[in-house]
Amino acid sequence: MKQYIQDIFDQSMAIESFTHTSSERKIEAFLQERIGEIPYFQEHPEQFGYYQIPNDFYNRSVNWALVKRDTADTVILFHHHDTVDIEDFGSLKVWAFDNQSLKEKLPSISSDSDLLADISSDKWQFGRGSCDMKAALALQLGVVERYSQRQSGQVNLLYLSVGDEESYSQGMRAATALLAKLKERFQLHYLLAVDSEPFESQSAEEKVLHIGTVGKLMPVVVTQGILSHMKEPLKGINALSLLAKVAEKIDLNPALSDMAYGERSPLPSWSYLRDLKENYDVSTVLRAAGYFSVLYLEKSPSELLATIKNLSQEAVDGFYQNYCQLQNVYQENKVIPKPRVLTYQELLQECQEKIGFEETLQQIYEEAQQALQEGASYQEISIQNIQKFLDFYDRKEALVVLAIAPPYYPSMNCRRLSNSPIRINKVVQLYRDYLDKEAGCQLQVDEFFMGICDLSYCALEKPAAEYQDLIASMPVPENLYHLDFPEIAANHIPGINLGPWGKDLHQLTERVYEQDMLETIPNFLLYLLENAQSFKV
């Protein structure tokens, strides 16, 4: 198995599969070919294939393969096969996927002692996507190949390889429907899903298991002001000033961080903040926009949205109080009403009262589809659509509009799943005991994977209805960003992250610990499959 994994790794590393591009189809074709070469699937060709991602401009697919036993119980191994690009490699681009060449050339551009020690140890394999996550592709496929040869094993093994994880997780969002179809077609009972994202550690003797994943929300704020000449700023409201107050109130605000099982989510941070003027003139700013990330562990989407609205209202109150004081000081008599804070749904409700709303809505959504096809991001489309609705609304008043831009990742922790088919503590103990006896390693258990991953789409902690308002908060039509919460809830698959040790993800010094990729992790995954009944409820 060790050599098989190394061969798959070397071959997959040589294939470009940049996220959210048509190049992902190259790795899909490679996987289809390699799975088809496994004798088990030559005998059972109906048990592997492609699943086309609906409404995908790049015609990408999800690869799947099922090793069937005489049982319904099923363990899923899955990973993503896309990588980030290689722009950061600069003059080393030509060697971005070449392990040996990078080990020879990196010392000439870096004096980092940890990097140099890893190169000289010859225990690490380098290259773009090495640990994130072609290593997972190789080791999981190695497990599939070896498990398919065995007559033993207490569960079915379902393998999935998905794309677009580094962008919008289009692959895993589509895979929720595939999982439902395969469940019905082969009469499967899903016990556990294992993702193999890399973990961070200080030592080869410590492995990390994540039994949950952080949630991610991306709120968008569009402000509208009242135009005035630059020489008379108190006769209007500058949308940029208004946005700056909201941004200041929200940025790094602990009210949008939470704690669960002794772990705390990061503070919120803005990714984008700017005016929306297309050309310079001497008027104040009519509109401005920004978006930020909220990573959370336990709070519901409705709680987070309510907190964001309350904080925005507090920011507006403070802004307006200061604004009125300045008007008094500078003897400005023009009365400007306090800006209103609206959610995207509230803006749409007010727009619906106007004639021509349905036609405008249809046109905006058609233009959004064209923009996405031409390369616009979901964040850009969200801001553009809010502006178009404000144009249709055509009210000359100051506003703060709050919305949510895709992608959205629900938080999930196996301890909190009701009616779980497994005992998560038994899974933890199985891994801990194995590492102690077979690898001489210790296990660190993290409650949440903080890097954001596709485990979010395996199960829901709360009823699906609690997530639906979130979709209504997105200014992107559902056919362009589909997230089927009822289907995720019906699949209800506890998910863990169990992968190899990696360093410097998304950097030119990215690398994976060879022994984890070739031996420790795949050997344990086989052991887990052989002992699945030990953690079944």
Side-chain angles (χ1 to χ4, degrees):
M1 183 168 66
K2 183 176 177 179
Q3 188 57 52
Y4 182 89
I5 293 172
Q6 184 65 64
D7 290 344
I8 293 290
F9 179 75
D10 291 341
Q11 292 165 22
S12 66
M13 281 292 292
I15 301 171
E16 286 186 6
S17 54
F18 297 140
T19 189
H20 208 62
T21 70
S22 58
S23 70
E24 291 180 68
R25 296 206 306 268
K26 298 176 185 177
I27 200 74
E28 293 163 12
F30 166 77
L31 286 168
Q32 183 77 352
E33 180 181 349
R34 290 309 304 254
I35 293 169
E37 292 172 355
I38 297 173
Y40 177 88
F41 294 109
Q42 291 178 346
E43 295 177 17
H44 304 280
E46 75 285 358
Q47 289 177 209
F48 78 102
Y50 287 118
Y51 177 75
Q52 186 79 37
I53 298 174
N55 302 314
D56 181 44
F57 300 134
Y58 301 113
N59 295 314
R60 294 167 296 178
S61 301
V62 176
N63 296 91
W64 68 274
L66 176 65
V67 179
K68 194 78 174 68
R69 295 286 189 261
D70 188 21
T71 179
D73 293 338
T74 304
V75 169
I76 301 165
L77 299 184
F78 77 97
H79 62 82
H80 70 83
H81 52 238
D82 58 312
T83 73
V84 294
D85 62 34
I86 56 173
E87 293 306 309
D88 56 323
F89 276 78
S91 61
L92 299 183
K93 273 186 185 180
V94 67
W95 297 288
F97 307 107
D98 187 332
N99 170 47
Q100 192 56 44
S101 294
L102 284 173
K103 286 197 279 191
E104 293 169 1
K105 296 182 180 301
L106 283 172
S108 67
I109 65 169
S110 175
S111 58
D112 180 78
S113 58
D114 184 55
L115 170 66
L116 297 178
D118 287 349
I119 291 173
S120 62
S121 74
D122 207 29
K123 295 179 180 179
W124 295 81
Q125 300 202 23
F126 287 72
R128 170 60 78 238
S130 55
C131 71
D132 191 16
M133 62 183 310
K134 297 291 178 68
L137 181 156
L139 71 87
Q140 287 193 359
L141 199 55
V143 172
V144 171
E145 192 271 343
R146 180 57 58 90
Y147 192 65
S148 71
Q149 296 177 14
R150 296 185 175 182
Q151 299 303 313
S152 59
Q154 302 177 336
V155 290
N156 307 311
L157 168 57
L158 176 59
Y159 167 82
L160 298 180
S161 183
V162 301
D164 202 55
E165 192 269 356
E166 300 288 4
S167 295
Y168 304 115
S169 287
Q170 207 160 341
M172 192 60 184
R173 286 187 288 112
T176 61
L178 171 63
L179 288 167
K181 293 176 189 295
L182 294 176
K183 180 180 180 179
E184 181 178 359
R185 177 179 168 187
F186 293 104
Q187 297 299 296
L188 305 178
H189 174 234
Y190 296 133
L191 294 180
L192 177 69
V194 182
D195 196 359
S196 291
E197 292 276 1
F199 66 84
E200 297 177 4
S201 179
Q202 299 301 314
S203 165
E205 284 70 47
E206 179 188 70
K207 308 306 173 190
V208 180
L209 172 68
H210 304 92
I211 61 171
T213 186
V214 70
K216 180 189 177 185
L217 196 68
M218 183 165 279
V220 173
V221 181
V222 176
T223 56
Q224 177 172 281
I226 298 174
L227 283 180
S228 66
H229 195 284
M230 288 289 188
K231 70 175 183 175
E232 299 174 312
L234 295 175
K235 288 187 180 294
I237 286 182
N238 190 322
L240 196 55
S241 301
L242 189 55
L243 178 62
K245 278 296 182 184
V246 174
E248 181 184 21
K249 187 70 176 179
I250 287 174
D251 195 47
L252 304 179
N253 194 314
L256 288 171
S257 173
D258 63 357
M259 179 176 282
Y261 302 111
E263 296 181 17
R264 181 175 289 281
S265 64
L267 295 169
S269 181
W270 290 79
S271 303
Y272 179 94
L273 202 69
R274 61 156 294 173
D275 69 273
L276 297 175
K277 291 181 76 165
E278 294 183 2
N279 300 296
Y280 170 76
D281 59 33
V282 292
S283 298
T284 54
V285 175
L286 176 62
R287 289 184 188 144
Y291 49 82
F292 60 98
S293 293
V294 177
L295 302 182
Y296 70 97
L297 306 179
E298 195 164 32
K299 294 179 180 177
S300 69
S302 57
E303 285 180 280
L304 291 167
L305 291 173
T307 300
I308 291 165
K309 188 173 184 181
N310 290 337
L311 291 174
S312 299
Q313 187 62 61
E314 290 175 17
V316 168
D317 291 345
F319 169 87
Y320 192 66
Q321 182 180 16
N322 183 63
Y323 181 84
C324 291
Q325 289 173 351
L326 288 171
Q327 280 194 318
N328 288 333
V329 170
Y330 288 91
Q331 299 180 343
E332 176 54 63
N333 296 321
K334 184 175 181 181
V335 177
I336 304 288
K338 182 194 288 189
R340 288 194 296 152
V341 178
L342 296 176
T343 64
Y344 174 69
Q345 298 103 304
E346 290 167 342
L347 174 62
L348 283 192
Q349 287 169 5
E350 297 196 18
C351 286
Q352 286 172 13
E353 298 174 5
K354 299 191 65 174
I355 297 172
F357 171 75
E358 291 298 333
E359 293 83 354
T360 300
L361 180 69
Q362 182 66 27
Q363 181 180 347
I364 289 173
Y365 282 177
E366 287 175 0
E367 291 171 353
Q369 181 164 344
Q370 183 65 31
L372 188 66
Q373 198 161 0
E374 292 173 355
S377 69
Y378 283 119
Q379 294 82 9
E380 291 170 329
I381 291 170
S382 297
I383 292 170
Q384 290 168 6
N385 286 358
I386 292 170
Q387 286 199 87
K388 290 172 182 177
F389 283 118
L390 286 171
D391 289 341
F392 176 76
Y393 188 48
D394 199 26
R395 293 279 294 271
K396 310 305 179 188
E397 63 173 313
L399 296 168
V400 176
V401 181
L402 308 176
I404 301 297
Y408 169 63
Y409 294 82
S411 65
M412 190 279 295
N413 185 284
C414 286
R415 298 192 198 278
R416 295 199 295 240
L417 295 179
S418 59
N419 301 315
S420 175
I422 64 164
R423 296 181 179 90
I424 188 60
N425 288 339
K426 294 284 188 180
V427 177
V428 171
Q429 196 60 48
L430 188 74
Y431 194 23
R432 192 187 304 279
D433 291 346
Y434 177 88
L435 289 175
D436 180 50
K437 294 175 184 176
E438 302 296 331
C441 296
Q442 295 180 332
L443 178 64
Q444 174 183 317
V445 178
D446 286 354
E447 297 293 328
F448 298 92
F449 181 79
M450 292 294 186
I452 308 166
C453 72
D454 284 339
L455 285 173
S456 287
Y457 306 118
C458 290
L460 297 178
E461 296 179 350
K462 300 174 176 62
E466 290 196 29
Y467 299 87
Q468 286 303 130
D469 278 350
L470 198 75
I471 298 299
S473 300
M474 292 183 177
V476 174
E478 192 173 347
N479 67 308
L480 297 188
Y481 184 78
H482 182 65
L483 193 48
D484 195 329
F485 291 118
E487 202 155 53
I488 297 171
N491 288 337
H492 194 63
I493 312 165
I496 61 174
N497 184 64
L498 197 162
W501 184 18
K503 292 184 181 180
D504 297 350
L505 281 71
H506 297 192
Q507 300 177 45
L508 61 87
T509 50
E510 177 182 352
R511 55 202 184 273
V512 64
Y513 189 58
E514 183 177 285
Q515 186 174 9
D516 277 3
M517 176 178 72
L518 299 180
E519 299 179 73
T520 307
I521 305 304
N523 288 342
F524 173 71
L525 291 177
L526 280 170
Y527 183 78
L528 180 145
L529 294 169
E530 298 281 357
N531 294 275
Q533 295 303 316
S534 68
F535 54 78
K536 181 184 174 184
V537 170

